[in-house]
């Protein structure tokens, strides 16, 4: 079973700061997902990565397959970025994703 | 498209009662899944389906049944509710690179 670890568990930062959230996993994967869970509970897919780097607006996600590590960066953070960010890995089979416990991010104005 | 819908949003059950959590998607996705989310833990897979008529167990299937008679619907049945099943339940469907989650059902078992 893949073990997915996220760090930090909690992060409080000031508006405008550059944010980095890390995810490491123990077993090789076919893809890694970054998800955002809003304070109201809804979960939204941000990125799916199998290699390299992806960018969407102020969000950047990178993955290093050899090191079994991914990072999610937020540039020019804003209070509306406050949410739980969840890393999930896909082992390539039909049996779904394995999720990290999430990083609770608060951006203060 | 409505995406993935779940009903009810919130439910209170007594120990031993049964109920069905409904999940539907209108995107014609073959793959659907049910997860539960508990405090301090990542989401865990309960059951999944790769298409109509095909279901399989995930990591924590005990106490739950599923069926997939159509592509659109994937209901989760609690056979005899227990306090340990108090959780938030998410249904999801996926296609290509993207996971689509329903809004969740909060279940409290007393």
């Amino acid at each position: 079973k893949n073990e997915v670890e996220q760090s930090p568990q909690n992060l409080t930062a000031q508006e405008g700061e550059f944010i980095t959230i890390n995810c490491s996993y123990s077993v090789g994967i076919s893809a890694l997902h970054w998800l955002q869970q809003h304070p109201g509970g809804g979960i939204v897919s941000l990125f799916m990565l199998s290699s390299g780097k992806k960018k969407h607006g102020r969000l950047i996600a990178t993955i290093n397959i050899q090191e079994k590590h991914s990072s999610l960066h937020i540039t020019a953070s804003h209070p509306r970025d406050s949410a739980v960010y969840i890393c999930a890995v896909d082992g390539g089979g039909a049996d779904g994703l394995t999720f990290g416990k999430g990083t609770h991010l608060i951006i203060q104005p | 498209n409505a995406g993935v819908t779940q009903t009810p949003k919130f439910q209170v059950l007594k120990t031993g009662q049964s109920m069905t959590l409904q999940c539907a998607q209108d995107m014609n996705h073959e793959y659907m899944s049910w997860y539960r989310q508990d405090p301090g833990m990542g989401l865990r897979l309960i059951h999944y389906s790769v298409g109509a008529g095909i279901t399989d167990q995930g990591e924590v299937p005990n106490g739950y049944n599923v069926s997939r008679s159509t592509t659109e619907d994937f209901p989760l049945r609690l056979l005899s509710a227990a306090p340990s099943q108090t959780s938030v339940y998410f249904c999801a469907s996926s296609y290509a690179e993207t996971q689509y989650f329903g809004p969740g059902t909060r279940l409290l078992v007393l």
Side-chain angles (χ1 to χ4, degrees):
Chain A
K1 183 179 183 294
N2 219 329
E3 301 293 331
V4 180
E5 298 288 337
Q6 286 187 238
S7 62
Q9 283 186 301
N10 297 285
L11 177 58
T12 299
Q14 296 298 121
E15 184 173 357
E17 288 188 36
F18 182 82
I19 304 299
T20 296
I21 298 170
N22 296 299
C23 175
S24 61
Y25 51 93
S26 58
V27 179
I29 60 172
S30 63
L32 182 143
H33 296 257
W34 282 103
L35 309 165
Q36 180 191 53
Q37 185 167 26
H38 301 294
I43 300 174
V44 175
S45 178
L46 298 175
F47 295 104
M48 192 280 283
L49 294 160
S50 54
S51 65
K53 176 180 177 178
K54 286 190 176 179
K55 184 177 190 290
H56 185 259
R58 295 180 294 104
L59 300 177
I60 304 165
T62 63
I63 188 168
N64 186 317
I65 295 294
Q66 286 72 32
E67 295 188 2
K68 298 186 178 61
H69 181 269
S70 175
S71 293
L72 177 68
H73 306 286
I74 305 175
T75 63
S77 60
H78 189 276
R80 65 175 174 265
D81 297 324
S82 298
V84 177
Y85 291 84
I86 301 170
C87 170
V89 299
D90 186 345
D95 55 348
L97 305 177
T98 303
F99 293 79
K101 295 179 182 179
T103 294
H104 188 192
L105 174 66
I106 297 173
I107 304 297
Q108 294 178 335
Chain B
N1 289 348
V4 180
T5 58
Q6 289 183 239
T7 56
K9 285 188 169 54
F10 181 72
Q11 183 73 46
V12 179
L13 290 178
K14 294 181 179 178
T15 296
Q17 288 185 315
S18 62
M19 80 161 293
T20 299
L21 281 62
Q22 300 293 343
C23 174
Q25 51 93 8
D26 60 0
M27 298 172 283
N28 205 33
H29 292 167
E30 294 293 335
Y31 189 94
M32 296 185 72
S33 50
W34 275 103
Y35 295 94
R36 60 178 289 173
Q37 185 177 40
D38 300 296
M41 303 184 75
L43 282 86
R44 292 180 293 167
L45 181 67
I46 304 171
H47 284 284
Y48 65 95
S49 170
V50 298
I54 307 168
T55 63
D56 209 343
Q57 296 181 349
E59 181 184 354
V60 288
N62 291 343
Y64 307 95
N65 273 356
V66 292
S67 60
R68 186 93 181 270
S69 56
T70 66
T71 299
E72 294 77 20
D73 299 300
F74 190 42
L76 178 72
R77 297 184 186 84
L78 279 69
L79 308 171
S80 176
S84 61
Q85 293 179 303
T86 293
S87 189
V88 181
Y89 292 85
F90 288 96
C91 178
S93 71
S94 65
Y95 178 76
E97 300 188 350
T98 306
Q99 299 277 326
Y100 300 84
F101 286 85
T105 294
R106 289 184 176 274
L107 177 66
L108 175 61
V109 182
L110 302 175

